[in-house]
Amino acid sequence: MVAPLTYEDLITAVTKRHPSMSRRFQQIARHVVQNPNDVALGSVKSIATEAGVQPSSLVRFAQSFDYTGFAEMQRVFQARLVTAAPGIKERIHALKGELGQRASTTGMATLRDLVIADMAGLEHLLDSMTEETLTAAVDCLANARTVYLLGQLRAYPIAVYLRYALIHLRRDVRLLDGAGGLATEQAQLMDDKSVLLAVSFRHYAREVVDIVEAAEARRVPILAITDSQLSPLAKRATVCMVVPDGEYNYARSLAEPICLAQALIICLAQRLDLDPAPADPLSEIDAG
């Protein structure tokens, strides 16, 4: 076996082998996939600390992919930085520099920091999403007889918005909201003429993962909006839309997934040849 020479090949290999990895290696895999810039620029000790493992575990992880050591694997991440767009942390730093750094704890300073982080995240989303992925997602929505929506915890508002917007497009849409503890039973109504649009981010809701797994077993097309190629939704999705995630903190923004959801609705309206004139239901989407 030859060690992966490019970042894309390495991530593909990590994703393929992730289910069979030990728990410790899965922990490392999630960290390197979700924080490629940190892996490229950090020391073995700092990366290990961030990943919550020992430096020796990083070395063994790299060797499991036939690298001589962690430094050789790290060079793959460093090569990516030469041509890749800057990550979210780098964008936030640059935007703060452009707009002027203010050392303040006022309410407006807090709002400003959140807006800057959202601006950086939206730019990252624009760079990471592809036309092919969006087109495939819209194809699934346009061809489905019924659209089932699923999202819990932080992802729930995304699913609710999509239900609201799809109703205005006169689509047959069902929100698996779990009322009465019946989400799993509601999901039994899905068939191969339906599509399941599932939204989930760290830490992935167990019921969402279970329903997605059951849908895959029944050959229901699955659209996933999630935050990593190693998400439990990603490996089961017909189409996976990855929304790059920033630092983990209390105020986890929904700006990026909401923007992606809006793009899906607008593209679907265009596919269905709906005229967004004032009398059209789409006007209420803009107004709402």
Side-chain angles (χ1 to χ4, degrees):
M1 183 180 293
V2 178
L5 298 178
T6 68
Y7 171 79
E8 291 75 16
D9 289 344
L10 174 56
I11 295 304
T12 299
V14 169
T15 303
K16 183 177 180 180
R17 291 169 54 178
H18 182 263
S20 62
M21 291 179 180
S22 67
R23 181 175 299 181
R24 183 59 51 84
F25 274 18
Q26 286 183 339
Q27 183 177 344
I28 295 172
R30 285 192 297 271
H31 182 77
V32 300
V33 168
Q34 294 168 350
N35 303 277
N37 291 353
D38 291 349
V39 174
L41 301 174
S43 65
V44 175
K45 183 177 180 180
S46 66
I47 296 167
T49 300
E50 289 293 326
V53 299
Q54 294 296 319
S56 58
S57 296
L58 289 180
V59 175
R60 289 195 298 271
F61 179 82
Q63 290 173 340
S64 73
F65 288 92
D66 293 298
Y67 295 106
T68 57
F70 182 75
E72 185 180 8
M73 188 182 78
Q74 188 178 37
R75 284 195 286 273
V76 173
F77 287 86
Q78 292 168 345
R80 168 187 170 273
L81 283 182
V82 175
T83 56
I88 291 179
K89 290 182 180 179
E90 291 75 16
R91 293 176 189 273
I92 291 174
H93 180 75
L95 284 168
K96 283 185 174 180
E98 292 176 13
L99 299 177
Q101 186 79 41
R102 296 187 183 92
S104 175
T105 57
T106 66
M108 285 305 298
T110 299
L111 176 61
R112 175 179 174 276
D113 286 345
L114 291 173
V115 169
I116 287 173
D118 281 349
M119 290 167 62
L122 288 168
E123 286 186 359
H124 198 175
L125 173 63
L126 191 60
D127 287 337
S128 62
M129 190 56 57
T130 67
E131 184 70 34
E132 292 75 17
T133 299
L134 283 174
T135 299
V138 172
D139 285 344
C140 285
L141 292 173
N143 295 330
R145 181 181 60 198
T146 305
V147 179
Y148 288 84
L149 300 170
L150 178 62
Q152 295 180 4
L153 306 177
R154 186 168 71 99
Y156 183 68
I158 311 299
V160 172
Y161 164 75
L162 285 165
R163 176 180 179 272
Y164 164 79
L166 287 167
I167 287 175
H168 280 297
L169 295 186
R170 301 299 185 257
R171 308 303 290 171
D172 183 6
V173 57
R174 318 285 173 85
L175 176 64
L176 303 178
D177 59 1
L182 295 175
T184 301
E185 284 70 21
Q186 291 172 329
Q188 296 298 316
L189 298 172
M190 295 186 295
D191 57 27
D192 59 3
K193 301 291 193 301
S194 310
V195 64
L196 172 62
L197 201 172
V199 190
S200 190
F201 312 111
R202 290 182 293 174
H203 301 279
Y204 311 101
R206 183 69 255 172
E207 189 173 31
V208 171
V209 175
D210 289 344
I211 290 174
V212 167
E213 290 178 350
E216 182 199 30
R218 294 167 55 199
R219 299 185 179 180
V220 177
I222 299 168
L223 302 184
I225 298 178
T226 189
D227 55 3
S228 169
Q229 296 96 326
L230 296 182
S231 159
L233 273 63
K235 61 184 177 182
R236 305 187 185 281
T238 308
V239 180
C240 182
M241 294 164 282
V242 175
V243 178
D245 212 356
E247 296 180 356
Y248 189 90
N249 53 50
Y250 179 77
R252 301 295 295 278
S253 174
L254 293 177
E256 296 94 323
I258 278 288
C259 187
L260 177 58
Q262 290 174 319
L264 286 174
I265 293 301
I266 294 171
C267 292
L268 179 60
Q270 294 170 339
R271 175 70 57 83
L272 300 174
D273 198 24
L274 297 180
D275 181 14
D280 190 271
L282 272 181
S283 63
E284 295 186 32
I285 295 177
D286 296 332

